[in-house]
């Protein structure tokens, strides 16, 4: 994700409470081509963009329980682009009928001194990975198909090892709080990708074990 | 009696002429399409043309089999006058295809027997048929009928069979693995499986509550703030400051307990 999505509303002081609506799934390597073809047909007509990103996740541990998590991401294919810093809140435990995972999201761009800055602030890097894949867009929806690799030697992004034999598929929309029609649109789009990939709301806290 | 037959003959010949004219037109347009528009021609439209021709031939056949149609075999056509001169009326009638009613065209256009080669082949086939005997012929007829009926059945009842087969094929080739989905989501959400120090693997469940990994440092120091509740894995490099809820503030007093690595606090304990 190289550039943070542009919001249409002007920022007149304070912050717009942006929520990220998310659906996730995965696709095996052998079905990747068919998925890319389908996405190319379904999504907006543009050259499919591929990206290589290096994401570092920083934790700030307070004395109370949950650490504060910030995600810093930089593009390995465009090394001069600014870093992208993102905060993702806890998923909203709203009504169960909502089809997508909704969480608060704050995105900012940062300069290349971001890792040192975060270290000085007291954050510690928890883990890092390299994501390599394609990004498609359909209106406000963003579909990312990426291959995750773990970094074997910290800081060395060339020496990576694939995490699994599947690609991660994420469908996300950034929208201001309170727009529930978004999840309906996401669900109908996800229907069109079946049976190749099942995009669903996966609660990350349930994946801890 | 004669008149009625004559009238019937005339009527049937007229209708036959009109049907044949239809076939001719269809063939004409089809040939035109094939010669000029062959780049844009699709197989379904070719099939349509063939279907049209076959339908028209069918109507001609029905017309001929019609009981009102007198048998044309009983009629004989004898050319009365053959001349090598060009006949304008004939040319107009046949659209310039037969300009001269001469000795050359009579064998082709007034032919009633098949061509000599065709006659030869037919004789061979009837000899062969007579040779194999009636029982063998009957058996062959029966096998042919059975094959045809099987094929027809398969073609006529496609829906159920095809759906079951295609569903089975689809199930054999799943395009995603839910376990992989969970693993990937776990990796992205909180770094499951992204340990910095080898061996890689999911966080050991025995580790109390938190899944933080060390950042590369091989030091064995364990740093705990006095009164701090949770165990912290060694921070990379030198003594780290435990942030006190206000990041950026250097805490003035840090009590550090440097413990040597013991069994329970092995840094590679993941």
């Amino acid at each position: 994700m190289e550039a943070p999505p542009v919001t249409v509303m002007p920022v007149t002081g304070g912050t717009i409470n942006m929520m990220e609506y998310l659906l996730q799934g995965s696709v095996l390597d052998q079905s990747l081509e068919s998925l890319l073809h389908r996405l190319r047909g379904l999504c907006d007509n543009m050259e499919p963009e591929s990206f290589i990103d290096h994401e570092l996740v920083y934790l700030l541990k307070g004395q109370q329980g949950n650490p504060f998590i910030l995600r810093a991401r930089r593009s390995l294919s465009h090394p001069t682009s600014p870093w992208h810093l993102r905060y993702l809140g806890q998923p909203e435990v709203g009504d169960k009928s909502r089809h997508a995972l909704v969480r608060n999201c704050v995105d900012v761009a940062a300069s290349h001194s971001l890792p040192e800055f975060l270290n000085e602030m007291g954050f510690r890097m928890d883990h890092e990975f390299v994501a390599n894949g394609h990004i498609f867009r359909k209106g406000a929806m963003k579909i990312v198909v990426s291959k995750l690799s773990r970094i074997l030697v910290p800081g060395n992004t060339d020496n990576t090892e694939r995490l699994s034999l599947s690609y991660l598929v994420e469908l996300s929309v950034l929208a201001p709080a309170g727009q529930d029609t978004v999840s309906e649109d996401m669900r109908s789009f996800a229907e069109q990708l079946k049976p190749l990939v099942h995009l669903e709301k996966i609660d990350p806290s349930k994946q801890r074990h | 009696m004669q008149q009625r037959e004559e009238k019937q003959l005339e009527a049937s010949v007229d209708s036959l002429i009109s049907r044949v004219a239809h076939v001719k037109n269809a063939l004409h347009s089809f040939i035109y399409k094939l010669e000029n528009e062959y780049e844009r021609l699709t197989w379904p439209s070719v099939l349509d043309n063939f279907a049209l021709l076959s339908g028209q031939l069918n109507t001609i056949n029905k017309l001929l089999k019609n009981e009102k149609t007198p048998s044309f075999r009983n009629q004989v056509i004898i050319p009365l006058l053959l001349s090598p001169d060009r006949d304008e009326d004939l040319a107009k009638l046949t659209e310039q295809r037969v300009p001269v009613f001469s000795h050359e065209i009579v064998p082709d256009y007034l032919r009633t027997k098949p061509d000599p080669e065709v006659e030869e082949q037919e004789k061979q086939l009837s000899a062969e048929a007579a040779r194999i005997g009636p029982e063998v012929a009957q058996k062959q007829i029966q096998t042919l009928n059975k094959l045809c009926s099987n094929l027809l059945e398969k073609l006529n009842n496609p829906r159920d069979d095809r759906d079951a087969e295609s569903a089975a094929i689809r199930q054999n080739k799943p395009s995603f693995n839910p376990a992989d989905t969970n693993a990937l989501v776990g990796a992205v959400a909180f770094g499951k499986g992204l340990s910095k120090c080898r061996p890689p693997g999911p966080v050991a469940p025995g580790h109390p509550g938190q899944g933080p990994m060390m950042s590369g440092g091989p030091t064995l120091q364990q740093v705990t703030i006095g009164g701090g509740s949770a165990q912290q894995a060694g921070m990379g490099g030198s003594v780290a400051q435990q942030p006190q809820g206000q990041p950026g503030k250097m805490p003035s007093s840090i009590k550090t307990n440097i413990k040597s690595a013991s069994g329970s606090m092995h840094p590679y304990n993941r």
Side-chain angles (χ1 to χ4, degrees), chain B residues 30-48:
Chain B
F30 190 29
I31 290 176
Y32 181 81
K33 244 194 257 180
L34 282 175
E35 282 181 356
N36 297 329
E37 300 173 9
Y38 58 86
E39 289 149 9
R40 279 171 300 175
L41 212 51
T42 62
W43 180 238
S45 77
V46 170
L47 280 179
D48 283 345

Side-chain angles (χ1 to χ4, degrees), chain B residues 5-268:
Chain B
E5 279 179 12
E6 271 178 25
K7 275 211 194 88
Q8 270 183 349
L9 189 63
E10 223 172 304
S12 54
V13 168
D14 282 338
S15 53
L16 198 62
I17 287 178
S18 71
R19 295 268 176 269
V20 171
H22 286 156
V23 176
K24 181 174 80 79
N25 285 335
L27 274 173
H28 181 72
S29 62
F30 190 29
I31 290 176
Y32 181 81
K33 244 194 257 180
L34 282 175
E35 282 181 356
N36 297 329
E37 300 173 9
Y38 58 86
E39 289 149 9
R40 279 171 300 175
L41 212 51
T42 62
W43 180 238
S45 77
V46 170
L47 280 179
D48 283 345
N49 281 97
F50 276 123
L52 178 66
L53 286 170
S54 131
Q56 284 169 342
L57 287 172
N58 260 341
T59 26
I60 293 182
N61 271 340
K62 257 191 270 184
L63 183 68
L64 291 174
K65 278 194 228 156
N66 193 0
E67 35 188 44
K68 287 230 180 92
T69 322
S71 168
F72 290 135
R73 279 183 196 273
N74 303 338
Q75 315 290 332
V76 178
I77 299 181
I78 309 172
L80 290 177
L81 177 63
L82 294 176
S83 84
D85 302 326
R86 193 184 159 84
D87 188 356
E88 278 311 314
D89 291 331
L90 186 58
K92 232 186 292 175
L93 208 59
T94 56
E95 295 175 15
Q96 307 303 326
R97 269 190 281 260
V98 186
V100 183
F101 197 67
S102 72
H103 308 78
E104 301 163 333
I105 65 130
V106 164
D108 291 329
Y109 284 93
L110 301 182
R111 177 181 285 280
T112 48
K113 269 171 56 157
D115 285 347
E117 304 99 33
V118 179
E119 229 175 340
E120 264 307 308
Q121 283 182 352
E122 245 195 273
K123 226 192 294 181
Q124 279 181 352
L125 280 174
S126 10
E128 177 99 16
R131 191 171 52 81
I132 61 174
E135 303 91 20
V136 183
Q138 195 65 8
K139 247 187 255 174
Q140 285 187 357
I141 295 175
Q142 279 173 359
T143 348
L144 182 66
N145 282 339
K146 217 190 306 177
L147 285 173
C148 287
S149 55
N150 274 347
L151 197 62
L152 277 172
E153 213 185 282
K154 268 211 188 117
L155 287 171
N156 284 334
N157 307 330
R159 209 149 288 148
D160 313 324
D161 305 338
R162 242 194 281 141
D163 275 358
E165 276 175 31
S166 56
I169 292 173
R170 246 179 278 142
Q171 278 161 10
N172 290 340
K173 287 192 219 153
S175 59
F176 68 95
N177 183 358
D180 278 351
T181 309
N182 292 338
L184 287 169
V185 170
V188 172
F190 49 86
K192 185 169 170 184
L194 292 175
S195 163
K196 233 143 277 65
C197 31
R198 292 298 208 135
V203 180
H207 202 84
Q210 303 160 356
M213 314 291 173
M214 288 194 291
S215 54
T219 54
L220 306 180
Q221 290 178 338
Q222 297 257 345
V223 179
T224 56
I225 292 284
S229 46
Q231 263 189 348
Q232 296 296 330
M235 302 304 180
S238 50
V239 170
Q241 293 122 350
Q242 196 66 321
Q244 304 241 337
Q246 274 162 344
K249 214 186 230 186
M250 279 267 281
S252 45
S253 64
I254 311 173
K255 295 189 206 145
T256 60
N257 281 336
I258 300 180
K259 300 183 189 156
S260 61
S262 56
S264 62
M265 290 189 275
H266 198 282
Y268 297 111

Side-chain angles (χ1 to χ4, degrees), chain A residues 24-28 30-31 55 57 59-63 65 69 71 120-122 124-129 148-152 154 161 163-168 170 195-198 200 202 204-205 207-209, chain B residues 170 173-178 180-196 198 200-201 203 209-216 225 229 232 235-236 240-249:
Chain A
Q24 288 166 313
S26 76
V27 67
L28 291 169
Q30 60 255 34
S31 311
E55 175 158 331
V57 178
L59 286 187
L60 183 64
K61 289 194 206 63
Q63 274 162 345
I69 303 176
R71 294 165 186 272
E120 294 293 324
M121 296 272 285
R124 288 294 168 260
M125 183 176 72
D126 184 66
H127 58 272
E128 54 179 348
F129 58 86
L148 301 181
S149 313
R150 81 163 62 90
I151 293 178
L152 298 170
E161 175 197 18
L163 211 52
S164 89
L165 292 173
S166 291
Y167 278 67
L168 179 67
E170 287 174 304
L196 269 181
V197 52
H198 279 209
E200 47 197 7
I202 302 179
S205 50
Q207 302 302 319
R208 276 194 178 262
H209 310 290
Chain B
R170 246 179 278 142
K173 287 192 219 153
S175 59
F176 68 95
N177 183 358
D180 278 351
T181 309
N182 292 338
L184 287 169
V185 170
V188 172
F190 49 86
K192 185 169 170 184
L194 292 175
S195 163
K196 233 143 277 65
R198 292 298 208 135
V203 180
Q210 303 160 356
M213 314 291 173
M214 288 194 291
S215 54
I225 292 284
S229 46
Q232 296 296 330
M235 302 304 180
Q241 293 122 350
Q242 196 66 321
Q244 304 241 337
Q246 274 162 344
K249 214 186 230 186

